Amino acid sequence: MSEHICPHCKKPIYDDEALLCLYCGESLGRPKYFLKPRIVFIFIVIVLLLSFLALAIRTF
Ligand SMILES: [Zn+2]
C-alpha cells in the first residue's frame, strides 16, 4: 500500500485508486496513465463489440 500526499492539504491518502482527495475534494493531480485498468478494459471491449457489429452489418 502506497502513501500519496495531497498537493492541496498535505494529508496522506492511502487509497491507490482515489483520484480526488478524501479531505478537501481536490484532484490529486495524478498522471493520465493512472486510469483504472477496469475502465480501459471495458472501453476496449466496447470498441471491439462496435467493430464486430459494423462488420456483421456489412456482411448482411
Ligand atoms: Zn486534500
Side-chain angles (χ1 to χ4, degrees):
M1 199 174 242
S2 64
E3 186 183 296
H4 188 85
I5 305 296
C6 174
H8 299 274
C9 62
K10 311 294 180 198
K11 284 183 179 176
I13 290 126
Y14 297 97
D15 185 354
D16 281 335
E17 292 199 334
L19 295 173
L20 298 174
C21 175
L22 301 170
Y23 304 99
C24 65
E26 289 289 338
S27 171
L28 295 177
R30 289 181 177 181
K32 288 262 166 72
Y33 63 74
F34 199 79
L35 283 169
K36 290 179 182 178
R38 262 170 290 161
I39 289 171
V40 176
F41 179 74
I42 289 165
F43 179 75
I44 289 166
V45 167
I46 287 168
V47 168
L48 282 173
L49 277 171
L50 283 175
S51 57
F52 177 77
L53 271 173
L55 202 75
I57 287 164
R58 221 181 294 163
T59 310
F60 280 118

